[in-house]
Amino acid sequence: MILIAAIVIGALLGWRRAAALGGAVRDRIQYAAAFAIGFAILGLFATILIERLL
């Protein structure tokens, strides 16, 4: 569940960041994908850490 939330939040933050920088739609998609991948990796590690501790 953390992983899915991290992907969605990352994509939204990436889209907003590109929009703030004045990027075109393709730039926004690229930022959204890159942020989603980055947040997914962090979410995966968080999920593994929580599962190992419990």
Side-chain angles (χ1 to χ4, degrees):
M1 195 62 152
I2 294 172
L3 184 62
I4 296 169
I7 292 171
V8 172
I9 291 170
L12 291 174
L13 289 176
W15 186 275
R16 286 187 48 191
R17 175 72 175 147
L21 294 173
V25 174
R26 288 183 179 175
D27 296 326
R28 294 177 187 190
I29 292 170
Q30 182 178 1
Y31 266 73
F35 272 59
I37 291 169
F39 274 63
I41 292 170
L42 293 176
L44 180 63
F45 283 125
T47 301
I48 292 170
L49 182 66
I50 290 171
E51 289 295 323
R52 294 285 179 167
L53 291 177
L54 298 178

